[in-house]
Amino acid sequence: MAVIRRLPKYHRYLGELLEKDVTRISSYELSKLTGFTASQIRQDFNNFGGFGQQGYGYNVEDLYNQLGNILGLGKKYNTIIIGAGNLGQAIANYKSFDDKGFRMLALFEKNPKLVGLTIRDIDILDIDSIESFSKENKIDIAVITTPKSQAQDVVNRVVNCGVKAIWNFAPIDLKVPEDVVVENVQLSESLLTIAFLLKEKEENV
Amino acid sequence: MAVIRRLPKYHRYLGELLEKDVTRISSYELSKLTGFTASQIRQDFNNFGGFGQQGYGYNVEDLYNQLGNILGLGKKYNTIIIGAGNLGQAIANYKSFDDKGFRMLALFEKNPKLVGLTIRDIDILDIDSIESFSKENKIDIAVITTPKSQAQDVVNRVVNCGVKAIWNFAPIDLKVPEDVVVENVQLSESLLTIAFLLKEKEENV
């Protein structure tokens, strides 16, 4: 797993340690917690300036905050959700995303039955107002929870509006300019992985 | 990325090729499609019996079906969803999961306002009926869409009922016996990855 995948995990574990008022931790203890090797952990942190102290380990709060900075937290990201079905609504309902700086400004939806409703004070707007909304609000991230058939089209539209990151839940590979970040969440593939692992276990019994 | 992560992708791409009535494809073409190297692709398929033919490439339908078998598709998996909030409802609404053999039998929920409702003909049952329901239906997979605070407890309960696979959406690392498969979908970590990549880009501008 790449370091970029480990950093958010470190951050989550350190957050949990903070909640438990743990003030310091060694790479060995972090290893037991995260499942990554202690040397891997030290190497990861060294890459980002090595905050550990010989014989002391890591100060949990310092490390948590420094990782947060590395992860670009503390910043605010204007975020819109395109597709206000259950999944879009579920994401809009994650207050913890707002807490992390991902400000959910609006949902956009084609279905007139949903347009005009609000999810946790977040308006569901007509999908045709994406362009005008983007003119008034600089959008950093667009979450794509539309059906597969509409995903590329809405992505083209938000990219034209200057959106620089796409969080894609549609089961397709989106085509975007090089300077646009795409993070895919492929639920079907995740579920197929379970089937594969179950089958492997049965065969090895 | 491990082969187990690539297989579902191959399967998805081949399914799309089938929809477009493509009958044969070379590892080179698959490489352009998937982004994996042609040698990686050939190696992956060889590991599973190498279905390619020199100078012909791969028969799309055969490969699709063989990958489906390798992935444990064609089988039926009795699946329950624990936590009938938006995310649980969203997953219950994915008809494509049923089509892949993941039979969504029921949702289980603590909130009495939701118990008794149905999502796409799938009943939302009281969470206290998990044990009795499991006695009547052999459950293969439990999808965990409860709040973090309840996740480990409900996992313990379904594991006691003989569930052998957990699809976990709660932001915690579940403790399960060795013979239980856990596939995590950590949405917060995925979102943090976007923040990190956005920050990287800004700094490299």
Side-chain angles (χ1 to χ4, degrees):
Chain A
M1 184 165 48
V3 60
I4 176 182
R5 295 289 164 189
R6 291 191 295 270
L7 290 180
K9 283 195 188 297
Y10 292 135
H11 190 261
R12 173 165 61 89
Y13 283 105
L14 290 162
E16 288 171 7
L17 288 170
L18 268 183
E19 286 172 12
K20 296 173 190 157
D21 298 321
V22 178
T23 57
R24 54 185 269 187
I25 189 162
S26 67
S27 52
Y28 172 70
E29 292 165 310
L30 268 174
S31 168
K32 285 189 296 183
L33 210 55
T34 61
F36 308 135
T37 67
S39 62
Q40 176 76 82
I41 290 167
R42 285 191 299 270
Q43 189 195 324
D44 285 343
F45 294 163
N46 288 338
N47 289 342
F48 291 102
F51 330 108
Q53 289 157 50
Q54 199 68 34
Y56 175 86
Y58 298 93
N59 176 300
V60 173
E61 186 168 11
D62 290 352
L63 189 52
Y64 178 79
N65 293 333
Q66 283 168 296
L67 276 173
N69 294 335
I70 289 162
L71 285 166
L73 297 179
K75 293 187 177 188
K76 297 293 176 200
Y77 298 95
N78 287 344
T79 306
I80 60 173
I81 300 168
I82 307 180
N86 292 90
L87 183 57
Q89 292 186 27
I91 290 168
N93 266 310
Y94 272 101
K95 202 184 157 303
S96 66
F97 293 162
D98 277 292
D99 300 339
K100 290 187 171 72
F102 301 92
R103 300 177 52 218
M104 301 291 169
L105 298 187
L107 296 101
F108 292 89
E109 173 59 44
K110 210 171 163 179
N111 179 352
K113 292 193 184 115
L114 293 171
V115 173
L117 302 178
T118 67
I119 310 294
R120 211 166 54 80
D121 305 335
I122 306 169
D123 294 329
I124 302 179
L125 306 176
D126 187 304
I127 195 153
D128 290 336
S129 61
I130 286 181
E131 284 77 6
S132 55
F133 186 89
S134 304
K135 284 202 182 72
E136 291 156 28
N137 308 272
K138 185 191 168 301
I139 309 305
D140 300 300
I141 301 171
V143 184
I144 307 301
T145 53
T146 63
K148 178 180 170 181
S149 58
Q150 298 162 35
Q152 183 65 60
D153 174 57
V154 296
V155 165
N156 295 343
R157 288 173 64 181
V158 294
V159 166
N160 286 336
C161 294
V163 167
K164 285 286 172 265
I166 304 290
W167 198 20
N168 176 45
F169 289 79
I172 66 165
D173 296 297
L174 298 166
K175 295 173 185 60
V176 298
E178 262 194 10
D179 66 333
V180 175
V181 170
V182 176
E183 167 77 0
N184 292 299
V185 179
Q186 296 290 5
L187 295 181
S188 283
E189 294 178 10
S190 177
L191 194 50
L192 289 188
T193 306
I194 294 178
F196 178 75
L197 293 173
L198 278 174
K199 183 160 166 290
E200 288 278 287
K201 280 182 179 292
E202 284 170 18
E203 287 166 357
N204 296 338
V205 163
Chain B
M1 182 163 51
V3 61
I4 176 181
R5 295 291 163 189
R6 291 190 294 270
L7 291 180
K9 283 196 189 297
Y10 293 134
H11 190 261
R12 173 164 61 89
Y13 282 106
L14 290 163
E16 289 171 6
L17 290 170
L18 268 184
E19 286 172 12
K20 296 173 190 156
D21 298 320
V22 178
T23 57
R24 53 186 270 188
I25 188 162
S26 67
S27 52
Y28 172 70
E29 292 166 309
L30 268 174
S31 168
K32 285 189 298 183
L33 210 54
T34 60
F36 308 135
T37 67
S39 63
Q40 175 76 81
I41 290 167
R42 285 191 299 270
Q43 190 195 322
D44 285 343
F45 294 163
N46 288 340
N47 289 342
F48 291 102
F51 330 109
Q53 291 157 51
Q54 198 68 34
Y56 174 87
Y58 299 92
N59 177 298
V60 173
E61 188 167 8
D62 290 351
L63 190 52
Y64 178 79
N65 293 333
Q66 283 168 296
L67 275 173
N69 293 336
I70 289 163
L71 286 165
L73 297 179
K75 293 189 178 184
K76 299 292 176 198
Y77 298 95
N78 286 344
T79 306
I80 59 173
I81 301 168
I82 306 181
N86 292 91
L87 184 57
Q89 293 186 27
I91 290 167
N93 267 308
Y94 273 101
K95 201 185 157 305
S96 66
F97 292 163
D98 278 291
D99 299 339
K100 291 188 171 73
F102 301 92
R103 300 176 53 219
M104 300 291 170
L105 299 185
L107 297 101
F108 292 88
E109 172 60 43
K110 208 171 162 180
N111 178 353
K113 292 195 182 110
L114 293 171
V115 173
L117 302 179
T118 66
I119 309 294
R120 212 167 53 78
D121 305 335
I122 306 168
D123 294 328
I124 302 180
L125 306 176
D126 188 304
I127 194 152
D128 290 335
S129 60
I130 286 181
E131 284 78 7
S132 55
F133 186 90
S134 305
K135 285 202 182 73
E136 292 155 29
N137 307 273
K138 185 190 168 302
I139 310 303
D140 301 300
I141 302 171
V143 184
I144 307 302
T145 52
T146 63
K148 176 180 170 180
S149 58
Q150 299 163 35
Q152 184 64 60
D153 174 58
V154 295
V155 165
N156 295 344
R157 288 173 64 180
V158 293
V159 166
N160 287 336
C161 295
V163 167
K164 286 285 170 266
I166 303 290
W167 199 20
N168 176 44
F169 288 80
I172 66 165
D173 295 297
L174 298 166
K175 295 174 185 60
V176 298
E178 261 194 8
D179 64 333
V180 175
V181 169
V182 177
E183 167 77 1
N184 291 300
V185 179
Q186 295 290 5
L187 294 180
S188 284
E189 293 178 10
S190 177
L191 193 50
L192 289 188
T193 305
I194 295 179
F196 178 75
L197 292 172
L198 278 175
K199 183 160 166 288
E200 289 276 287
K201 280 182 178 290
E202 284 171 16
E203 287 166 357
N204 297 337
V205 163

